Amino acid sequence: MSYSSDNKQTTFRVQIFDTTLRDGEQSPGASMNVEEKLEITRQLLRLGVDIIEAGFPASSPGDFEAVSRIGELVGDRAIVCGLTRAVLSDIDSAAAALKTAAHPRIHTGIGVSPSHLKNKLNITEDVAIEKAVAAVKHAKGYVDDVQFYAEDAARADPEFLYRMLTAVIAAGATVVNIPDTTGYALPEAFGALIAGIRENVPGIEDVTISVHCHNDLGMATANTLAGVANGARQVECTINGLGERAGNTATEEVVMALKQRADTFGLETGIATTEIMRTSKMVSQISSIIVQPNKAIVGANAFAHSSGIHQAGILKDRSTYEIIDPKDVGAGDSSIVLSARSGHHALRHRLELLGYDLGDDELERVYKAFLELADHKKEVYDEDLEALVNEADRTFDAAFTLERLQVSCGTPGIPTATVELVSRDGATYIDSCHGNGPVDAIYRAINRILNVDNDLIEFSIQAVTRGIDALGEVTIRIKAPDGKVYTGRGAHPDVITASARAYTNALNRLMAARAIDIAQVATQAPAEVSAVAVEE
C-alpha cells in the first residue's frame, strides 16, 4: 500500500514520526552503522510508522549514506526525513541524500527560547525569524514536504513563538514541530501551549502540528499525550524511549496509550502493535542499551506478576491486574513469576501447565518445599518445580527422611558431618562421622545409622537452572549385595544437602525393594550411634 504524504490534520489519525535512527542514536553508546540502521528500518516498516527520520545528512558521510540508502529501501511505504539546521548548506546536503526517497521530507529549524537566542545563537527574535523563513523557502525549493522545528519551544515566549510559526507557515512549512527540548514542561502547560498555537497562529489549520518531548522530568509521554489532546496530530518518538540524556518519548507508550484509552482520545495510529516487542528487542540489541525490567509496555516485568494476591487475581481474570493483553504487543502470555510471595493458586497453575495434576496433600508437600527453595532464590523456574515434584515423590512414604544436616570442612581441617534422620513412625536418629570430604563424611554418618550394605558406584551433580543461586540436583547409584542397582536423586540450592538427600533416597529405594522395615534397621544400627530413637 502506498503511503499518502498529505500532511493536513485529520480528526482521528495520529501520525507516528519515529526518530530512533536520528535522535535515538544520539544516546551515549548507541551509535549505529549503516547496515544496522537498515535492519531497524525494515522493522520500523513492519511496525507501521508513518515517518522515519533517518539521520542528519550534513553531520557525517555515514549519516548521508544512511539517509540515502534508507530512502531507497523504504520506497513508497513511508516518508523519509532528513534533519538540518537553518543553514543552507545543511539543507543542500539533506536534499541530495533524500533524492532516493519516494516521499522525502526536509526537517529544518532554529532555537526559539530566550536561552537559545541569546546564549547559543546570539541573535535577536527578528533575525531568528528571517533565518527560519529563509531555511524553509530554501528547503521548499527541493521538496514539497518541509517540517519546521522551533527548538526549545516549551521555554519560548508564546507571542514570539506565534510570530515565528506564522512566518514559516507562510513560507511553505507543511508541518510545525513544537519540541520540549529539555524536558522542562508539565503536561497541563504543554497542552495549553499547543492549544494556544491552534488559537493564535493563522494558517495552522492547514498544517500538521507535531510534538517532540524529552524525558528529563519523566514526563515525555504525558506531555506528548497532552499535546495530542489539544490538537497535535504527529508525535515524534523513539523505540524504548532511546535518546540523549533521559531519552525521548517512547513510541510504544504513546501508541498503546492511544489504543487503550480510545475512550478519552478517540484517535488511532497505523501501528501494528503486535510488532512492538520484536522492534524493542531489536533496537535494544543493536544499540546495546538494555531496557529496564520495569519499563512500560516492553520491560521484562511489564506483564509479570510475583505477588500472591496479584497472581490469584490474574489467574481468575487477566483484567484484574492487566489493562493490556500482552499478545497485543507481541509479548506472548502474562508471566507468573514464582517467588516467596507466590501462593497456592500460582503454584498449582504452573504445575498444571507442566503436566502435573497433584492432589491437595501432594500440592501441600510441594508447596512447603517450594517456599523453602524460594527463600533461597529470587525466582523459582519450571525446572526447579519439576525437581521439587520429583523430590516430593521420592520422600513420600519413605522409611527415613533427612531432617537436619551439619557439615564442617576446610583446609586445614577434617571434614565432619552430623546427620539427623527421622523414620516414618516418627523416631529420630542422630550420628556423626568424618571422611575424605564433606559428602564422604555425610554418607559415612548415614551408613552408621542405616547400616544397609551397598556400594556407591556413581555420583553426579548438575545445576537445574541458571544463575549463581541455581538449584543443584545430585544423582547417585548404589549397588546392593545381590547386584541390583538403585538410583537416588536429591535437589537443593546447597549441593551438600542435595547429596545427602540423594543418598537417603537411594537407600530408601533399596530398603523398600528388599522389604527392610524400620525396626530391622534400628536394630541393626551400630552400637556407637550417638543418640537413641526418641519418640515425638
Side-chain angles (χ1 to χ4, degrees):
M1 179 181 294
S2 296
Y3 181 84
S4 173
S5 57
D6 180 5
N7 290 306
K8 291 186 178 181
Q9 292 185 184
T10 58
T11 305
F12 302 110
R13 175 71 182 270
V14 174
Q15 293 182 322
I16 301 300
F17 179 110
D18 189 275
T19 185
T20 303
L21 302 179
R22 200 279 301 170
D23 205 342
E25 193 197 19
Q26 293 177 200
S27 180
S31 180
M32 309 170 197
N33 61 38
V34 175
E35 294 303 323
E36 289 170 334
K37 284 191 173 186
L38 290 172
E39 184 178 356
I40 291 176
T41 297
R42 294 184 185 96
Q43 183 56 35
L44 291 176
L45 292 173
R46 286 189 285 267
L47 182 65
V49 303
D50 300 286
I51 303 100
I52 297 174
E53 187 166 50
F56 185 176
S59 66
S60 71
D63 252 29
F64 185 98
E65 181 187 359
V67 173
S68 180
R69 292 184 63 183
I70 288 170
E72 186 176 12
L73 171 64
V74 169
D76 65 356
R77 290 175 287 177
I79 291 173
V80 177
C81 181
L83 183 74
T84 82
R85 297 167 295 176
V87 175
L88 301 190
S89 59
D90 278 16
I91 296 169
D92 294 338
S93 181
L98 288 168
K99 284 182 179 179
T100 58
H103 300 293
R105 175 184 294 182
I106 293 177
H107 188 189
T108 191
I110 196 168
V112 296
S113 68
S115 174
H116 279 238
L117 293 173
K118 179 180 179 180
N119 301 325
K120 188 177 81 169
L121 301 172
N122 193 26
I123 58 176
T124 65
E125 292 181 350
D126 289 339
V127 171
I129 291 176
E130 289 175 7
K131 287 181 175 292
V133 168
V136 170
K137 288 182 176 180
H138 192 64
K140 199 72 174 179
Y142 287 113
V143 297
D144 293 331
D145 190 2
V146 176
Q147 176 170 321
F148 174 81
Y149 63 84
E151 189 176 8
D152 205 20
R155 295 194 295 172
D157 171 48
E159 294 301 324
F160 167 61
L161 180 61
Y162 300 156
R163 287 200 297 127
M164 172 71 81
L165 296 178
T166 300
V168 296
I169 291 172
T174 50
V175 182
V176 290
N177 174 19
I178 313 302
D180 178 22
T181 304
T182 60
Y184 174 79
L186 299 180
E188 185 176 358
F190 193 71
L193 176 64
I194 303 303
I197 289 170
R198 292 184 66 200
E199 293 171 2
N200 294 284
V201 175
I204 196 68
E205 66 278 2
D206 296 322
V207 302
T208 298
I209 299 176
S210 182
V211 289
H212 179 118
C213 299
H214 281 258
N215 204 39
D216 297 70
L217 292 177
M219 298 189 192
T221 297
N223 285 333
T224 295
L225 293 173
V228 169
N230 284 277
R233 288 297 177 265
Q234 177 179 291
V235 296
E236 305 191 10
C237 40
T238 63
I239 303 300
N240 300 336
L242 202 63
E244 59 183 336
R245 303 191 316 278
N248 292 271
T249 304
T251 305
E252 61 276 4
E253 293 177 11
V254 172
V255 168
M256 293 310 297
L258 293 175
K259 181 175 181 178
Q260 294 303 118
R261 296 311 308 270
D263 59 323
T264 297
F265 292 99
L267 299 166
E268 62 183 25
T269 69
I271 295 297
T273 61
T274 54
E275 293 289 332
I276 285 176
M277 189 61 72
R278 182 182 290 109
T279 311
S280 169
K281 290 179 178 178
M282 177 184 290
V283 170
S284 177
Q285 180 182 20
I286 289 176
S287 68
S288 299
I289 295 181
I290 298 172
V291 177
Q292 65 189 64
N294 61 328
K295 167 73 174 65
I297 316 299
V298 294
N301 295 342
F303 302 102
H305 307 270
S306 63
S307 163
I309 295 174
H310 284 223
Q311 290 173 344
I314 209 78
L315 291 173
K316 293 174 183 176
D317 189 317
R318 184 188 58 78
S319 65
T320 54
Y321 287 103
E322 283 183 354
I323 62 169
I324 298 172
D325 186 336
K327 293 185 179 67
D328 285 350
V329 297
D333 293 318
S334 303
S335 173
I336 301 296
V337 179
L338 295 180
S339 67
R341 297 179 298 278
S342 299
H344 288 75
H345 285 90
L347 180 62
R348 184 185 291 278
H349 172 73
R350 181 63 65 84
L351 289 172
E352 288 175 349
L353 291 178
L354 294 174
Y356 296 102
D357 184 14
L358 304 184
D360 291 342
D361 291 342
E362 293 174 292
L363 179 67
E364 190 60 34
R365 280 191 293 272
V366 174
Y367 185 68
K368 289 179 179 178
F370 160 74
L371 288 180
E372 180 182 346
L373 176 60
D375 282 338
H376 292 85
K377 299 187 64 176
K378 292 182 179 180
E379 181 177 348
V380 179
Y381 301 105
D382 289 348
E383 298 91 337
D384 294 324
L385 292 183
E386 291 172 342
L388 291 180
V389 171
N390 292 333
E391 182 77 11
D393 288 342
R394 292 192 288 270
T395 59
F396 177 65
D397 204 30
F400 288 89
T401 56
L402 179 70
E403 183 68 16
R404 283 189 292 179
L405 171 68
Q406 183 172 322
V407 175
S408 175
C409 61
T411 302
I414 300 174
T416 306
T418 301
V419 175
E420 179 181 332
L421 300 180
V422 176
S423 67
R424 186 189 302 124
D425 59 11
T428 299
Y429 299 84
I430 301 175
D431 208 337
S432 299
C433 198
H434 63 271
N436 295 326
V439 175
D440 183 50
I442 291 168
Y443 287 7
R444 287 174 181 269
I446 292 175
N447 285 340
R448 287 169 63 88
I449 297 174
L450 297 185
N451 194 30
V452 178
D453 288 341
N454 73 89
D455 290 320
L456 178 64
I457 61 174
E458 183 179 335
F459 177 96
S460 67
I461 183 171
Q462 64 179 359
V464 174
T465 52
R466 53 199 177 275
I468 196 170
D469 58 355
L471 189 69
E473 185 169 61
V474 173
T475 301
I476 69 166
R477 287 182 173 83
I478 59 174
K479 182 186 291 186
D482 60 3
K484 291 186 178 180
V485 176
Y486 299 90
T487 300
R489 293 184 177 86
H492 196 273
D494 179 355
V495 295
I496 300 299
T497 301
S499 301
R501 288 183 174 182
Y503 190 50
T504 305
N505 175 241
L507 291 176
N508 276 316
R509 291 180 182 276
L510 187 156
M511 292 165 58
R514 297 177 60 186
I516 300 175
D517 61 28
I518 295 172
Q520 187 178 359
V521 172
T523 300
Q524 292 180 352
E528 61 268 28
V529 169
S530 60
V532 297
V534 179
E535 295 296 334
E536 289 184 334

